[in-house]
Amino acid sequence: MDLPTPDAAVSPGWTRLAQFGVRPFLVLLDTLAVGIGVLGMEVVSRQLDVDSPARKTLAFGAVLVLLFWLGGLHRSRLSLSVLDDLPALAGRWLVAAALAVLGQIAWSRAIWADYLIDWQFLWGAVTTLVAAVALRAIGYAVVRRLRSRGLVAHRALVVGAGRVGHQVADILTSHPEYGLHPIGFLDADPPHRDDDLPLPLLGGPQSLTRFLEAGQVGNVVVAFSTMKESEMVHVIRACDRYRCELFVVPRLFELHHVAGDMDTAWGLPLVRLRRATYRSPAWRVKRLVDVLVSGLALVAIAPLLLVLAV
């Protein structure tokens, strides 16, 4: 059974860009903020005719972007809010500033000279933080606008056609700014008739693997269904080898604490299941390095092996 076509017309170009999520976009915005901080310090230094701390500001910005990455501030999210990111942004900024000061102290000790800390770079650091917050606010507004207009929309299936499944479908349909476009339910024994469902019933949870294998959907929201949890775990694990984002509505979600690394949709907590290790880009890079290093090592020791064989 083929999945229905989304109502919104999505151009192929936007579809190709959307498959990478917001991570590259956020990295670009933070890099641009660092560039603004460095350029600002260069311009001010020329106006005041003093030594420019642009290089120190650049080093600070590189550390700051790395801390943003390690802190999960570049991860793909459904709900984009600069106010939610502000505490984490400020905390990473303080850590980066402290590391910059300690780095200058260590450098002065290493060269055994009276090296004075150039506190002017902190103005560039402050400019970088302000630019990062402002650019993220603008970028989030742009992403929400693109999602609301259907230019960035990810097809999603809702596993479970009960009350929670209805709530998930209603929220995602009423709020397209989250970027998920629900197109159907998967439930072997739905509590409601097909006519009462807000979305078409496309089969049971066992059909999920077939839809993912055909590449017809890239996101799955697992709500409560009549299927046994042990069987549901088997289905989810089977789907993990496909390019798919899995969201799970936690039990007792009305009382569930929304952590900083969780996704939310209009107050509904969604746990994004992490990708398997072999699906992550870091694993692919590590695998490539392992193959190259082992291949070069075999070529280098091949003459010795030949001598030992003889």
Side-chain angles (χ1 to χ4, degrees):
M1 179 178 181
D2 294 331
L3 296 178
T5 304
D7 298 332
V10 183
S11 63
W14 285 112
T15 302
R16 286 192 294 269
L17 289 176
Q19 69 182 354
F20 298 104
V22 299
R23 186 188 300 268
F25 183 55
L26 296 180
V27 173
L28 177 62
L29 291 180
D30 291 338
T31 304
L32 182 59
V34 174
I36 292 175
V38 173
L39 181 61
M41 291 306 302
E42 188 70 26
V43 172
V44 172
S45 299
R46 289 184 179 181
Q47 292 292 333
L48 299 178
D49 194 19
V50 295
D51 293 337
S52 174
R55 288 186 298 178
K56 298 182 180 65
T57 304
L58 180 60
F60 164 83
V63 175
L64 183 63
V65 173
L66 178 60
L67 291 177
F68 284 172
W69 179 281
L70 297 177
L73 290 170
H74 293 148
R75 63 184 177 88
S76 297
R77 284 162 288 171
L78 300 180
S79 180
L80 299 173
S81 173
V82 71
L83 292 179
D84 293 339
D85 292 349
L86 193 56
L89 292 172
R92 269 65 183 183
W93 182 89
L94 290 174
V95 173
L99 290 176
V101 173
L102 292 176
Q104 293 193 57
I105 295 175
W107 174 253
S108 65
R109 296 291 181 86
I111 62 177
W112 296 95
D114 294 333
Y115 179 83
L116 298 178
I117 298 177
D118 188 359
W119 295 102
Q120 292 183 1
F121 88 94
L122 287 178
W123 292 108
V126 172
T127 304
T128 301
L129 177 62
V130 173
V133 174
L135 290 176
R136 278 181 175 252
I138 297 173
Y140 287 170
V142 171
V143 172
R144 289 194 298 265
R145 181 66 174 174
L146 293 176
R147 289 175 175 178
S148 299
R149 299 187 62 180
L151 295 176
V152 176
H154 302 275
R155 293 155 65 90
L157 286 173
V158 181
V159 180
R163 180 183 62 86
V164 179
H166 274 229
Q167 185 175 352
V168 171
D170 291 340
I171 290 175
L172 296 182
T173 302
S174 304
H175 301 278
E177 65 269 16
Y178 294 119
L180 292 183
H181 184 89
I183 52 181
F185 288 107
L186 293 180
D187 200 325
D189 187 19
H192 303 282
R193 298 181 305 173
D194 294 355
D195 299 337
D196 298 331
L197 296 176
L199 298 174
L201 185 64
L202 304 176
Q206 296 83 355
S207 305
L208 180 58
T209 305
R210 177 166 53 86
F211 288 126
L212 294 178
E213 187 175 12
Q216 295 178 304
V217 69
N219 293 267
V220 177
V221 181
V222 180
F224 308 143
S225 67
T226 56
M227 190 176 188
K228 294 182 179 180
E229 292 187 357
S230 58
E231 299 176 356
M232 182 63 69
V233 170
H234 176 72
V235 171
I236 292 176
R237 286 179 175 174
C239 298
D240 193 51
R241 56 181 188 269
Y242 302 102
R243 285 189 68 90
C244 175
E245 294 293 340
L246 292 172
F247 301 90
V248 178
V249 180
R251 294 286 182 179
L252 299 176
F253 65 91
E254 297 89 348
L255 305 176
H256 201 282
H257 173 69
V258 180
D261 58 346
M262 292 179 60
D263 286 288
T264 58
W266 205 247
L268 180 70
L270 296 174
V271 179
R272 186 193 294 256
L273 297 187
R274 293 185 177 181
R275 292 176 177 268
T277 304
Y278 57 83
R279 294 173 58 197
S280 63
W283 181 88
R284 296 188 180 95
V285 174
K286 180 180 179 301
R287 179 62 177 168
L288 178 62
V289 172
D290 291 343
V291 172
L292 291 177
V293 172
S294 60
L296 293 176
L298 287 176
V299 172
I301 66 175
L304 177 61
L305 295 177
L306 179 60
V307 172
L308 293 177
V310 173

